[in-house]
Amino acid sequence: MSRRYWFFAALILIVPAVAVAGVSVGQVTLPPGEAARLLWESFTCRGPALSLANPPLSAPAVLIVRDLRLPRLLLGFLVGGGLAVAGAVLQALFRNPMADPYVLGVSAGAALGAAAGIVWQVPLAVRTGLPPVPTLAFLGAVGATGLVYVLARGGRRKERGRAGRFDQSSTRLLLAGIAVSALLSAGVSLLLLFGTRNPGTVVVWLMGGLAGRGWESVRLAWPYLAFGLLIVGWCARDLNLLTMGEETAYHLGVDPVRLETLVVLGVTLITASAVAVSGLVGFVGLIVPHIVRYFTGPDHRFVLPGAFLLGGAFLSLADVLSRVVLAPSELPVGIVTALCGGPFFLYLLYRSGEVGAHG
Amino acid sequence: MGELTARAIHFTYPGAAGGQAALAGVSVTIAPGEFVGLIGPNGSGKTTFLRCLTGLLAPQGGAVLVDGRDVHTWGAAELAKRLGVVAQGEESGFAFTVRQVVAMGRYPHRRRWQRETPADREAVAEALQSTGLAALAERPVSTLSGGERQRVVLARALAQTPRILLLDEVTAHLDVGYQAEILALLQRLHTERRLTIVAVLHDLNLAARCCQRLVLLANGRVVATGSPLEVLTPANLQAAYGVRMNVNPGRDGQPLVTVETPAAGRGAAPRQGTVHLICGGGSGTALIGLLTSAGYQVSCGVLNRGDSDWETARLYQLEVAEEAPFSAIEPAAHAVNLALIRRAAAVVMGDVPFGPGNLANLRAAREALAGGRPVFVCDFTPIAERDFTGGEATREYEQLLEEGAVRLSSEAEVLSRLDGALPRVEKERPDKEDEA
């Protein structure tokens, strides 16, 4: 109980601190005070920070904040928070601590879409004004999960009627996800081998990163991400019952099939939009939920907001580090999350028997 | 509220070998406040039937009605308010505390963003209290023992405050102490809250002790339904389980079932001839069990209907010369008794108290002796103490002994003396193990 309160209290301090760091650190370093002021002003919509009319700061600094750091900070927070929430939800859905946001085929679908966009330079931008790579990645991710869902659910329904509706349905989802992922990954490999003379661009995209993403990416991702978050947030209480198993959830008054459909829809929207704008950022969605549960306990009404805040802060911080460690060049943020998250998680695993037992 | 009806349920698992139906037309009506036990061998369909009752399985034929409405047309939450289910072997890797898990039982009663109401808290506290979990409320469920976890699941179902409780082998894997504890709790819930309880039970003796009514299933059909006394007969059990079972009345008057195994003793082999037992007033109950399990065919007489020996004889489906309740033995019943004695190879007389009404039984024993049958007399209590005829019974009794009846002074003697008189049927008994 008290552990939970301390955790959220700490997050209230950590999140603004990370935001200040995200605005101040980079090739041009701003003093933290200035960064905090600019952040505050832009968040309270008082405008001067964004209007180029603020005397104490030079115009280039304001431009950097407005056009580069602020959108990147926001995107990092949304993507990190979204992935952590998606991971927490899928771990509950599958009652499996190994589940991450990509188990339903999102990663492979997005990778295939992005690779196709990069390799073939689809003239989507010309026709619709949408950026081709994120759009195709999003469509690939949604398509792949849709396929997984139909394969896991469709064939069974005809044969069994209502009888089979709780019988291992989440296991079937998991297996279909693995199979579809393998299939689509083969497609990505084929594209890399034979489709392009320059596979490097695709590989870097696959590593995941926020470098060079601006307001365009935020605008593209946030509506779907927010909608997905709303859906899974709505289901937070029902997810608690689902962790007891589908049959028990049914006995307690939850319709597990409807819940699973809703949850898969929400998670797909979140993950697909996150992947579309930032590539495959690993580890956030797997590890952050475990760390959060360690502090909040297993109740999803606390796990989900905790995961969103910690996941967002974690990815934003990793992004800051990715800009700093090899300056002036940048590391893909996916590498940083894995390098930081892995050891920290192993430490927790070593220290506490509770971690990993979903706790 | 609390009524449960199953009408002609047909259910076949998809992919079952040869389309073998798991349930082939099972109809059971359970009245509000009834405590019904579902019994039957493995694979008889009792768990499948329970899962049909909960709505988890949708039968291909027939319907399940909960409070008069098809179980599948109830919304999940509305159903959960009426029907609590306790399944076995629930496992969750998430570290919820006992209180959190039990509070999940309030889910169907609460709207999405509603805070816990006093009614919720009270229901949870009461469920924890009645299952004896109050002291463990803040412990993570994963740290509890199997029996405690089973009680958590039961407490959660109670927190739902349902009118109907369905239980699937809740006592399986629990030691005897926990079994008794959980069944005592169920009985208390049944009497205090008038809950309708349907329980799948493995242990026939526990089922007989806690259920008002039993439904015996075998091969997806109802073999028998009724009171434990009516259902737990050797014939029904043989039909359902394919094994010979002994049924004796227990101390509490409920049937006590034991399985006859070949190792259960030399007595299991069939014996030559029938032993006729003259008894009454409870003197024959132990003897019937003793003689039957030793492999003898037993007939009884003359017994008044309703007499405890008569109940036992009926349980064993013995041939009985019977008389109306609380009446003196009439010539007709006496004649039947003599006919049974003529068919028997020996006669055993129990430690019977004699009054004017059953003096005829003493005379029947003398006629048996006259007809050349060996008569064994249980003389555990001095005849003077059980003579309520003013001396006449004592006179007849002494004449009986004079005419050659064998006096037995303990139950142990019964079998050993009979053994000499009636040899076993040797060839029907595979004796390999003994020889080895």
Side-chain angles (χ1 to χ4, degrees):
Chain A
M1 214 43 172
S2 67
R3 189 149 61 161
R4 182 198 295 159
Y5 289 129
W6 284 116
F7 175 69
F8 280 104
L11 277 178
I12 288 171
L13 298 177
I14 290 170
V15 170
V18 169
V20 169
V23 171
S24 98
V25 176
Q27 286 181 39
V28 178
T29 303
L30 300 176
E34 286 305 320
R37 192 174 62 80
L38 282 171
L39 253 181
W40 179 253
E41 284 175 0
S42 46
F43 270 98
T44 52
C45 297
R46 278 202 269 142
L50 302 175
S51 72
L52 289 178
N54 206 26
L57 277 168
S58 60
V62 175
L63 273 177
I64 287 171
V65 170
R66 187 190 67 179
D67 292 342
L68 301 176
R69 302 226 174 124
L70 210 53
R72 197 165 158 175
L73 175 71
L74 216 55
L75 195 66
F77 204 88
L78 281 175
V79 167
L83 289 177
V85 168
V89 168
L90 289 176
Q91 284 165 10
L93 178 65
F94 295 123
R95 293 173 287 285
N96 186 335
M98 301 292 290
D100 76 358
Y102 306 135
V103 286
L104 290 175
V106 170
S107 52
L112 189 62
I118 294 168
V119 168
W120 287 323
Q121 297 292 322
V122 183
L124 196 70
V126 186
R127 300 229 182 107
T128 62
L130 288 167
V133 173
T135 307
L136 282 175
F138 184 83
L139 292 178
V142 172
T145 313
L147 185 63
V148 166
Y149 190 79
V150 169
L151 287 178
R153 278 284 153 68
R156 192 58 159 287
R157 186 152 286 175
K158 277 181 220 135
E159 183 194 335
R160 284 209 152 177
R162 299 181 64 162
R165 63 187 201 163
F166 313 126
D167 187 20
Q168 307 279 311
S169 66
S170 65
T171 310
R172 285 171 65 87
L173 270 176
L174 202 57
L175 291 174
I178 291 169
V180 167
S181 294
L183 196 68
L184 298 183
S185 298
V188 175
S189 303
L190 278 176
L191 269 183
L192 286 177
L193 271 178
F194 302 116
T196 175
R197 252 174 275 152
N198 182 21
T201 327
V202 179
V203 172
V204 168
W205 186 90
L206 288 178
M207 285 179 188
L210 297 165
R213 311 295 201 275
W215 285 111
E216 188 195 51
S217 298
V218 177
R219 249 178 262 122
L220 198 67
W222 87 264
Y224 305 103
L225 224 154
F227 189 51
L229 285 173
L230 278 180
I231 292 176
V232 297
W234 171 262
C235 299
R237 189 175 68 127
D238 314 51
L239 281 172
N240 288 344
L241 279 73
L242 201 58
T243 62
M244 299 280 139
E246 286 155 329
E247 291 189 7
T248 303
Y250 167 75
H251 294 322
L252 293 173
V254 174
D255 182 339
V257 172
R258 207 178 65 182
L259 177 60
E260 280 169 14
T261 308
L262 265 180
V263 160
V264 168
L265 178 68
V267 165
T268 304
L269 288 176
I270 294 170
T271 316
S273 44
V275 169
V277 294
S278 66
L280 299 180
V281 177
F283 261 62
V284 180
L286 176 64
I287 284 175
V288 169
H290 287 284
I291 297 173
V292 172
R293 272 191 218 103
Y294 173 75
F295 291 107
T296 62
D299 189 339
H300 287 86
R301 289 169 301 176
F302 301 101
V303 171
L304 297 189
F308 183 73
L309 294 175
L310 189 66
F314 177 63
L315 191 62
S316 302
L317 192 66
D319 186 41
V320 170
L321 290 176
S322 77
R323 275 179 262 165
V324 174
V325 279
L326 287 184
S329 60
E330 287 194 20
L331 271 178
V333 75
I335 294 177
V336 180
T337 55
L339 280 179
C340 300
F344 179 62
F345 187 68
L346 287 175
Y347 167 75
L348 276 184
L349 206 60
Y350 177 73
R351 278 289 307 276
S352 164
E354 290 172 61
V355 177
H358 297 280
Chain B
M1 285 280 279
E3 191 187 2
L4 198 54
T5 312
R7 275 193 207 139
I9 302 292
H10 283 266
F11 184 84
T12 308
Y13 282 103
Q20 174 79 41
L23 296 173
V26 175
S27 295
V28 175
T29 302
I30 294 150
E34 216 178 356
F35 194 151
V36 175
L38 296 177
I39 54 173
N42 291 337
S44 60
K46 49 191 195 305
T47 292
T48 303
F49 181 57
L50 196 82
R51 286 160 76 83
C52 285
L53 291 181
T54 65
L56 271 180
L57 296 178
Q60 285 90 356
V64 171
L65 306 180
V66 176
D67 289 336
R69 189 171 142 188
D70 190 304
V71 68
H72 291 289
T73 65
W74 285 107
E78 281 305 305
L79 187 63
K81 286 186 201 171
R82 290 171 168 76
L83 203 75
V85 181
V86 182
Q88 53 175 337
E90 188 180 293
E91 205 61 68
S92 171
F94 287 76
F96 285 104
T97 63
V98 170
R99 184 187 300 283
Q100 280 174 318
V101 171
V102 174
M104 286 180 190
R106 299 306 295 165
Y107 178 93
H109 295 274
R110 281 163 72 183
R111 270 176 283 136
R112 188 161 296 272
W113 305 109
Q114 200 180 10
R115 292 192 69 88
E116 237 179 18
T117 64
D120 290 331
R121 272 192 292 274
E122 198 180 310
V124 171
E126 206 183 314
L128 287 170
Q129 198 65 49
S130 59
T131 49
L133 289 169
L136 303 175
E138 308 307 328
R139 287 258 303 270
V141 174
S142 53
T143 64
L144 303 184
S145 71
E148 288 164 339
R149 281 188 215 189
Q150 195 68 71
R151 282 189 283 159
V152 172
V153 177
L154 180 58
R156 188 182 59 204
L158 294 179
Q160 287 173 250
T161 56
R163 299 302 311 156
I164 306 172
L165 206 52
L166 301 178
L167 306 112
D168 188 7
E169 305 230 4
V170 284
T171 57
H173 315 303
L174 298 185
D175 66 42
V176 184
Y178 279 129
Q179 286 185 4
E181 209 173 290
I182 284 194
L183 289 173
L185 171 62
L186 290 180
Q187 282 194 306
R188 209 170 69 231
L189 292 168
H190 173 243
T191 49
E192 285 174 10
R193 302 194 198 169
R194 306 257 313 120
L195 289 189
T196 308
I197 299 182
V198 182
V200 169
L201 291 166
H202 221 83
D203 188 315
L204 300 176
N205 293 317
L206 281 178
R209 260 133 209 96
C210 65
C211 301
Q212 292 172 315
R213 186 149 73 92
L214 295 180
V215 176
L216 175 61
L217 290 171
N219 295 322
R221 287 188 172 78
V222 177
V223 174
T225 176
S227 72
L229 213 62
E230 287 164 338
V231 172
L232 296 181
T233 65
N236 284 342
L237 295 173
Q238 170 100 47
Y241 290 85
V243 176
R244 272 199 62 156
M245 301 207 198
N246 293 320
V247 184
N248 296 302
R251 283 194 186 177
D252 51 5
Q254 294 294 350
L256 192 64
V257 179
T258 48
V259 180
E260 255 184 37
T261 59
R266 58 197 181 99
R271 307 282 183 143
Q272 270 180 352
T274 305
V275 172
H276 185 78
L277 191 60
I278 294 173
C279 53
S283 63
T285 296
L287 289 171
I288 289 173
L290 194 69
L291 293 171
T292 316
S293 60
Y296 292 105
Q297 287 279 336
V298 179
S299 59
C300 291
V302 175
L303 294 171
N304 291 104
R305 278 195 293 279
D307 181 285
S308 62
D309 286 348
W310 178 81
E311 293 276 5
T312 310
R314 211 172 54 128
L315 265 181
Y316 281 85
Q317 303 187 315
L318 305 182
E319 269 191 280
V320 181
E322 56 183 28
E323 185 51 87
F326 307 109
S327 326
I329 296 167
E330 299 289 333
H334 186 65
V336 175
N337 204 17
L338 292 180
L340 287 175
I341 286 170
R342 274 194 293 279
R343 268 175 34 194
V347 173
V348 173
M349 192 168 78
D351 203 19
V352 197
F354 288 100
N358 66 346
L359 212 51
N361 275 347
L362 206 45
R363 294 196 185 111
R366 286 181 63 193
E367 289 196 39
L369 216 49
R373 304 284 184 283
V375 173
F376 300 89
V377 179
C378 295
D379 191 34
F380 308 158
T381 315
I383 183 65
E385 286 174 32
R386 43 195 173 96
D387 180 0
F388 301 97
T389 57
E392 199 181 347
T394 311
R395 272 197 304 283
E396 293 263 1
Y397 191 80
E398 273 157 8
Q399 266 176 320
L400 181 67
L401 290 175
E402 247 169 64
E403 284 160 15
V406 181
R407 174 189 272 174
L408 307 171
S409 54
S410 76
E411 259 176 43
E413 247 182 288
V414 178
L415 287 184
S416 59
R417 298 301 277 273
L418 264 179
D419 222 17
L422 299 173
R424 216 172 301 160
V425 183
E426 293 294 349
K427 63 179 174 190
E428 281 186 35
R429 188 158 172 246
D431 254 356
K432 280 188 188 135
E433 279 164 329
D434 286 10
E435 284 160 20

